[in-house]
Amino acid sequence: MYLLSIVLPVYQRYDLFRIIDIQEIYKAKGKEFDHVFIMLERFIPTTDEAKRQLYVAMTRAKRNLTIHVNADFLDSMTAENLEKVTNG
């Protein structure tokens, strides 16, 4: 599982900064990012370790969290300002 953090373009004087940081979850522990994108393919959290890794990934987001998943284990999740988008 990888955690993808993108810092959108920021203009300071004449400089343009674009940062895309792709990390494995275990390397992201203790860090925070403004925007976090989690891509889960064939991921089913059946073990405590898998659940812990998903929790760590989700809690790295300071402002926005986007999860792309092809399973239904998050269907019962509720949260403030949660928007669910489905393809079908």
Side-chain angles (χ1 to χ4, degrees):
M1 183 182 344
Y2 293 90
L3 178 133
L4 171 67
S5 171
I6 298 178
V7 177
L8 300 176
V10 175
Y11 294 92
Q12 292 180 344
R13 297 183 186 172
Y14 299 105
D15 298 329
L16 172 64
F17 298 97
R18 290 186 181 162
I19 299 170
I20 299 176
D21 189 10
I22 301 174
Q23 298 184 6
E24 291 182 354
I25 295 302
Y26 71 91
K27 290 183 179 178
K29 188 173 181 180
K31 298 178 183 176
E32 289 186 326
F33 306 95
D34 286 338
H35 309 280
V36 172
F37 297 85
I38 302 172
M39 314 299 187
L40 301 173
E41 184 176 350
R42 294 185 298 272
F43 178 82
I44 301 172
T46 55
T47 66
D48 287 341
E49 177 64 16
K51 292 174 186 176
R52 186 191 65 75
Q53 285 184 342
L54 181 57
Y55 174 81
V56 168
M58 293 172 70
T59 57
R60 300 305 93 202
K62 289 194 286 187
R63 295 177 54 203
N64 295 308
L65 171 65
T66 302
I67 302 173
H68 294 269
V69 62
N70 61 352
D72 61 359
F73 66 90
L74 293 176
D75 286 353
S76 63
M77 178 183 275
T78 60
E80 185 178 327
N81 298 321
L82 177 67
E83 178 183 352
K84 294 182 182 182
V85 179
T86 59
N87 295 338

